Amino acid sequence: MAATEHNLSRSTDDLVMQEEQEHLSELYATLLKLRDELSHELDTKHEQAAADLRSLSQEIRPNFTGWDETLETLAAIESLNLVIDTYNQYHDFNVDKLRKILLLLRQPYFAKVKLKMRPDRPARDVYIGTAGLTDDHHIPLVVDWRNPIAETYYNQENGQTSYTVHGALRTVELLLRRQFDIDRDMLKDYFDTTVAIEDSLLLHALRSHHSEKLKAITATIQREQNEVVRHEDVPVMLVSGIAGSGKTSVMLQRIAYLLYHEHERLAADQVYLFTPNKLFEHYIDGVLPSLGEANPQLYTWQSFIEHEGAGNRDDGSHADIKNLEKLEQALPSLCLHEGDVRAITVDGETLLSASQVAAVVNKHSKFGLGPQFTTLVSDELRERLARRLASFAHDEVWQERLQSMDVEEQIRLIGSAVNPADDEEMATLTRNYVDILFAEAGERAIDTLAWLKLDRVGMRVLGLKTLSATDLLYLRLLLMGRASSRARYVMIDEVQDYSAAQLKVLSRFFIGAHFLLLGDPNQAIREGTPSFEEIQTIFEASHGQVDVCRLLTSYRSSPEVTALFSGLVNLEADIKLASVRRAGTAAVRLRFETEEALLAHMRPLLTEAMADTQTLTAVLLHDQRRAARFAKQLDNLVPFVRRNEVLPATGAVIMTLDMAKGLEFDHVIIADADERNYPDTLLARRRLYTAISRAMHQVSLFAVGSWTPLLAEDGGEVIASQ
C-alpha cells in the first residue's frame, strides 16, 4: 500500500495499531525479563564457577613420582580443563544471547510477514529484526533479517513467493508484508506495502538529514539490493551501481550476511575491506556493530602497501599493468647476479653473510626464479641460520654477554637466573638467549625475501630507475607464489578508482579469497583507470568466475539533484531515477566576475551553515591545493577536512572531491564550477557527476569567470559582481 493509501485508511485500522502495540509491549516485557534473568545468571554463575574451580584446584595433588601417579595427576588436570571449557562455553553462549537482547531492546523488530507455509495449515506471523531470538521452547520470537525465511520480506511479492534453505527452494504464500516504525517499546506507525519504490519505511528514512555516520539499511533493503546481499557465494562478484544506489550499505549488509551464515567458519578478521580513505572508514565504522557484528579488517590502498613494506615509494596508482606482465614473462628465465643478494642481518649482527646467501642461491638457480626456487632457498637458509645460532651457544662472547646481565634482566629474557651447573647447561641457556634475540627475526627476514634485492632485480627487468609499490609487490608475489592465507573475503569499494595494476596485485595477493567489487563507472574520476570490462577480465584471469550485478535505482538525492547529475552521463534505458517524495530545491547557479566577489558571497552563506545544527554542508573543490587556499581565504571560517580526520555531524566543511567519494551531504556547494576545472571532457563530466551526486537535498554551483560548458546549455545562471 502506498503512503497516501495508508494515511487514508488509518482511521479504519485503529484495531490493527492496538493489536500490534500489544504484541510489541508483550515482547518488550519478555526481552526485559530475559535481560534481567541473564544478567543475574551470568553474575551468579561467574561467582559459582570461581568457587568450583578453586575447590577443584585444591583437590589436585600433583604427584609425578611414578608412572601411575603421573597419569593420575594428568587426568585430574584434564578433568579440571574440561570443567573450565564447559563454563566458558556456557558463558559465551549466554553473553551472545544477552548481546542480541540488548540489540533488540533498541528496536525489537522492523517488519512482519504473514506466511501460509502449506495450504492445509493456518498462516504464521514472522517478525523480523536485526537479531534473532527464540523462547524456552525454541519458538522464534524474532527472526534475524539474514535468516532464509526473511527473504520473503525482501522479495516484495505478495502471493506466491519463495526462499532457499540449504540449497532447497521452499515455496510459500505471502499474505501480508508489514513494516513498522518502532522506537524501543513504542509503535509509532506501520505500513503495509508491496511496491519497492513506494516502500513507506524507505521513504521515511530518505526524508532524514545527513548523519556523520552511515546507518544500516536493514529495514529498507530493496529487492535489487537484496539480490546482492543474498547472492550465492561466488569467486568474484562485480557490482555496478549508479550514484546513490546504496552500494556501500549493500556491501556492509553483505558482510553481515556472510558472518551470520558462516559463523562457525568465518571470523570478522578474515574479511578485508578496502575503502577510499580514513575519513570514509570512520563514516562506515558503526554499521556492522549496530547489527551485532564486529568490523572487518579495514584498509586503504596506502595502508595496505605500508603494511607490506612498500609505503615509502610511489603508490602505483599510475603504474602500467604491462610492467607486471613483463615481470611475469621474464622471471622464469632470469639469472640473478652476484650483487642481487645481501646478508641477513638482525640488529647489526650478521647472521648469514652475502657470500653464504649467494652460495645457496647459486645451488638452486637451475630451477628458475619462482615459488619452487624461493622455497628451496628459504628452507636451506633456515637450516644454516639454525646452525649459526647453535654455534653462538658455545661462543664465549655470547656466554659472557648473558652472564654479565642483571639477574632481573636474565629472568625477563630467558625465564630464570643464569647459574649453570656445567658447560652443557651454560650452552643451553645461551642458545635460548640467542634464539630470543635472533631466531624469529632471522626467519622473518628469510621469509620476506630480505636476502634478495628485489628493487635491483625488478629495475633491471623493467629498465626503470625505481619500482612502484605495485611493481615491487607483484615481483614478490611471483617469487613467493603466495600471500595472504588469512583472508577469506575481500571487499573493494569505489573499485573504479583503482588502477589495473593495483587490482592485478590485489587479485593475486588474495588469490584464495572471494571478492566483492563495487563501484560506478560514471564516477571514475582519475585518468587511466580501467573500465568495468577490463576489471572483469583481470579477475577472470585470477579467479575464473565473475558474476556481474547492477544497482539501477538512485535513492540518495532529491528529484532536482538527481535530474541534474543524471543529465551529465549517458545512463542506460533501464536505469530508474527514483523520486524520493520530499520537497526539492532547484539548483543555485551563480557566476562571479572575480574571486573576491565569490568569497564575499560565500562568507554569510557559510556562517549560516556553520550555525545550522540539523544539516551538513560540504564545499567541494577540485584539488587539495585549491581547497586549502580557499579555506585560508575564508579565514578558516569553515574547517578544511584532510585525510585521517573525522566528518562532523552538522555545520559546514571544505574538502576535495576525492575525499568526498562515497559520502553524502544535505547541501553541496561546488565552488569551482568553471571551464578550467570542468571542461567539456569525459573525465570532467564524471567528476561533476560525482560532485553533484554527493548532495541529498540541495546543490549550488559557483564559478569565477567562464562557466563550465557541461551545464551552460541549461542557462539560468546569475552573473554577480561585487
Side-chain angles (χ1 to χ4, degrees):
M1 175 182 303
T4 52
E5 296 171 2
H6 160 78
N7 292 334
L8 288 172
S9 61
R10 171 62 73 226
S11 60
T12 61
D13 286 343
D14 287 347
L15 182 60
V16 173
M17 189 78 171
Q18 292 173 20
E19 289 175 348
E20 292 292 2
Q21 179 62 65
E22 287 173 5
H23 176 83
L24 173 61
S25 299
E26 183 180 342
L27 175 61
Y28 204 82
T30 301
L31 292 172
L32 290 173
K33 182 171 178 288
L34 288 172
R35 180 199 64 185
D36 295 341
E37 289 176 350
L38 266 178
S39 299
H40 177 73
E41 188 172 0
L42 282 168
D43 290 341
T44 303
K45 288 292 184 181
H46 179 74
E47 294 175 0
Q48 180 183 336
D52 289 348
L53 292 176
R54 281 195 300 269
S55 175
L56 288 170
S57 299
Q58 292 168 0
E59 291 176 7
I60 296 177
R61 297 288 184 268
N63 187 346
F64 300 99
T65 56
W67 179 251
D68 291 340
E69 291 80 4
T70 298
L71 288 179
E72 186 176 340
T73 298
L74 293 175
I77 294 172
E78 181 62 24
S79 296
L80 178 60
N81 288 335
L82 288 174
V83 172
I84 293 172
D85 288 343
T86 301
Y87 275 126
N88 286 339
Q89 290 172 9
Y90 173 84
H91 177 270
D92 292 346
F93 174 81
N94 281 331
V95 166
D96 185 61
K97 187 174 181 179
L98 181 58
R99 176 187 60 81
K100 291 179 180 178
I101 291 170
L102 294 175
L103 192 63
L104 292 175
L105 282 171
R106 291 184 293 185
Q107 185 191 45
Y109 47 83
F110 55 80
K112 178 178 85 170
V113 289
K114 186 180 287 290
L115 299 175
K116 200 170 183 61
M117 312 299 287
R118 295 180 182 176
D120 58 340
R121 297 276 183 89
R124 170 186 168 193
D125 287 343
V126 178
Y127 287 85
I128 302 168
T130 53
L133 193 68
T134 60
D135 63 15
D136 293 337
H137 304 290
H138 306 291
I139 297 174
L141 298 172
V142 182
V143 169
D144 192 297
W145 68 275
R146 296 163 289 188
N147 189 292
I149 200 170
E151 191 171 354
T152 58
Y153 167 74
Y154 294 111
N155 284 342
Q156 299 180 334
E157 292 179 343
N158 272 17
Q160 191 175 75
T161 187
S162 61
Y163 61 98
T164 303
V165 183
H166 303 304
L169 188 69
R170 295 190 179 180
T171 302
V172 296
E173 185 179 1
L174 177 63
L175 302 179
L176 176 70
R177 179 178 181 271
R178 178 167 291 161
Q179 301 172 312
F180 300 103
D181 184 4
I182 291 174
D183 182 12
R184 298 187 180 274
D185 61 344
M186 180 183 296
L187 176 59
K188 300 164 74 174
D189 214 339
Y190 75 90
F191 315 92
D192 292 344
T193 179
T194 60
V195 183
I197 200 53
E198 293 183 341
D199 187 317
S200 302
L201 205 59
L202 169 67
L203 298 175
H204 173 75
L206 290 174
R207 292 189 189 100
S208 63
H209 292 297
H210 153 86
S211 169
E212 77 274 19
K213 294 280 192 178
L214 184 67
K215 296 178 180 177
I217 61 166
T218 312
T220 59
I221 294 174
Q222 300 302 290
R223 183 168 183 171
E224 65 174 10
Q225 296 170 330
N226 183 57
E227 290 172 359
V228 175
V229 172
R230 282 177 155 78
H231 197 284
E232 64 177 314
D233 193 11
V234 292
V236 182
M237 182 163 38
L238 176 59
V239 179
S240 175
I242 65 171
S245 56
K247 296 181 292 295
T248 300
S249 295
V250 165
M251 173 185 66
L252 295 169
Q253 304 289 143
R254 171 71 172 173
I255 293 173
Y257 180 81
L258 292 170
L259 290 172
Y260 174 83
H261 281 274
E262 298 193 42
H263 64 278
E264 293 182 352
R265 302 181 301 276
L266 179 65
D269 64 0
Q270 292 177 291
V271 181
Y272 288 57
L273 172 53
F274 282 79
T275 67
N277 49 59
K278 292 291 184 181
L279 176 66
F280 189 79
E281 285 185 6
H282 177 77
Y283 179 58
I284 66 172
D285 65 11
V287 172
L288 287 168
S290 75
L291 298 174
E293 302 291 355
N295 274 321
Q297 302 261 26
L298 293 173
Y299 284 100
T300 62
W301 171 258
Q302 184 61 37
S303 67
F304 168 70
I305 63 175
E306 287 172 359
H307 184 268
E308 295 304 314
N312 59 343
R313 60 185 68 225
D314 177 82
D315 69 358
S317 56
H318 301 289
D320 193 340
I321 194 173
K322 292 180 181 178
N323 284 354
L324 310 189
E325 296 166 353
K326 190 173 181 179
L327 288 171
E328 201 163 0
Q329 294 164 2
L331 211 60
S333 58
L334 185 69
C335 293
L336 291 177
H337 297 177
E338 184 177 346
D340 290 340
V341 299
R342 61 164 63 93
I344 295 175
T345 304
V346 175
D347 294 336
E349 185 71 31
T350 298
L351 303 178
L352 294 174
S353 67
S355 60
Q356 289 174 308
V357 174
V360 177
V361 167
N362 292 334
K363 177 180 176 181
H364 298 291
S365 60
K366 61 184 177 181
F367 295 100
L369 296 190
Q372 183 183 13
F373 162 81
T374 303
T375 300
L376 291 170
V377 170
S378 297
D379 287 347
E380 186 164 339
L381 288 177
R382 280 195 207 91
E383 292 174 4
R384 293 196 177 207
L385 174 64
R387 291 199 296 269
R388 173 71 166 158
L389 295 180
S391 71
F392 285 178
H394 299 277
D395 190 320
E396 291 182 359
V397 173
W398 289 103
Q399 291 181 355
E400 288 176 4
R401 285 190 190 181
L402 177 59
Q403 287 180 312
S404 64
M405 295 168 58
D406 292 339
V407 172
E408 292 81 1
E409 188 69 7
Q410 292 173 350
I411 294 173
R412 186 185 68 81
L413 274 176
I414 64 174
S416 64
V418 176
N419 187 23
D422 50 37
D423 290 345
E424 183 178 349
E425 187 176 348
M426 186 65 219
T428 300
L429 291 170
T430 306
R431 177 60 191 271
N432 291 341
Y433 171 53
V434 295
D435 277 353
I436 290 168
L437 292 180
F438 302 122
E440 183 178 345
E443 290 182 0
R444 185 166 59 249
I446 293 170
D447 291 342
T448 57
L449 307 187
W451 47 271
L452 183 59
K453 298 178 182 177
L454 288 173
D455 276 284
R456 178 186 168 104
V457 174
M459 289 186 295
R460 187 166 71 247
V461 172
L462 299 176
L464 299 174
K465 293 183 178 180
T466 59
L467 292 188
S468 70
T470 52
D471 299 331
L472 178 70
L473 293 180
Y474 201 72
L475 176 58
R476 186 190 297 164
L477 285 169
L478 291 173
L479 282 164
M480 299 180 71
R482 56 182 169 79
S484 174
S485 58
R486 177 66 179 165
R488 288 192 53 205
Y489 292 95
V490 178
M491 317 291 183
I492 304 179
D493 203 3
E494 304 288 352
V495 69
Q496 76 281 346
D497 287 336
Y498 287 75
S499 70
Q502 289 173 322
L503 293 175
K504 190 172 178 68
V505 167
L506 292 174
S507 70
R508 184 150 188 159
F509 190 93
F510 298 104
I511 193 68
H514 285 189
F515 278 82
L516 175 61
L517 315 171
L518 305 98
D520 178 1
N522 291 313
Q523 293 187 63
I525 63 173
R526 297 177 184 168
E527 291 279 9
T529 52
S531 67
F532 269 47
E533 289 75 19
E534 291 169 320
I535 293 173
Q536 184 173 347
T537 299
I538 290 169
F539 282 89
E540 282 176 343
S542 62
H543 284 69
Q545 180 182 349
V546 176
D547 282 20
V548 178
C549 299
R550 303 172 71 208
L551 298 174
L552 305 175
T553 305
S554 176
Y555 303 102
R556 174 189 296 137
S557 307
S558 69
E560 292 80 4
V561 174
T562 302
L564 188 60
F565 74 71
S566 64
L568 288 165
V569 293
N570 295 320
L571 298 176
E572 298 176 41
D574 52 358
I575 291 179
K576 297 166 284 187
L577 301 176
S579 170
V580 293
R581 296 195 182 187
R582 57 188 170 194
T585 302
V588 175
R589 290 154 39 93
L590 300 176
R591 184 165 65 88
F592 300 86
E593 293 180 349
T594 64
E595 191 170 50
E596 289 72 21
L598 168 63
L599 293 169
H601 180 82
M602 292 285 288
R603 286 190 180 93
L605 182 66
L606 293 177
T607 299
E608 183 180 351
M610 287 294 291
D612 192 332
T613 59
Q614 298 296 318
T615 65
L616 180 63
T617 295
V619 181
L620 302 185
L621 291 123
H622 200 265
D623 56 48
Q624 182 88 1
R625 183 178 178 182
R626 175 70 178 115
R629 179 171 173 267
F630 198 74
K632 188 175 181 180
Q633 288 176 311
L634 288 168
D635 302 319
N636 297 315
L637 171 66
V638 175
F640 172 38
V641 179
R642 295 174 173 83
R643 295 186 183 277
N644 302 326
E645 294 185 345
V646 175
L647 199 65
T650 60
V653 293
I654 294 174
M655 62 197 313
T656 63
L657 177 57
D658 282 354
M659 289 295 293
K661 289 296 295 290
L663 305 178
E664 58 185 29
F665 308 90
D666 295 289
H667 182 193
V668 166
I669 299 173
I670 301 169
D672 55 0
D674 54 72
E675 185 174 16
R676 183 175 66 85
N677 289 302
Y678 291 100
D680 191 3
T681 65
L682 177 59
L683 186 63
R685 192 173 289 273
R686 288 173 174 172
R687 291 182 69 86
L688 192 55
Y689 165 96
T690 303
I692 294 172
S693 64
R694 299 307 92 204
M696 297 169 63
H697 306 295
Q698 184 179 355
V699 63
S700 299
L701 299 112
F702 299 156
V704 175
S706 301
W707 189 255
T708 170
L710 300 176
L711 296 174
E713 294 179 2
D714 295 337
E717 71 269 22
V718 176
I719 299 177
S721 61
Q722 299 283 330

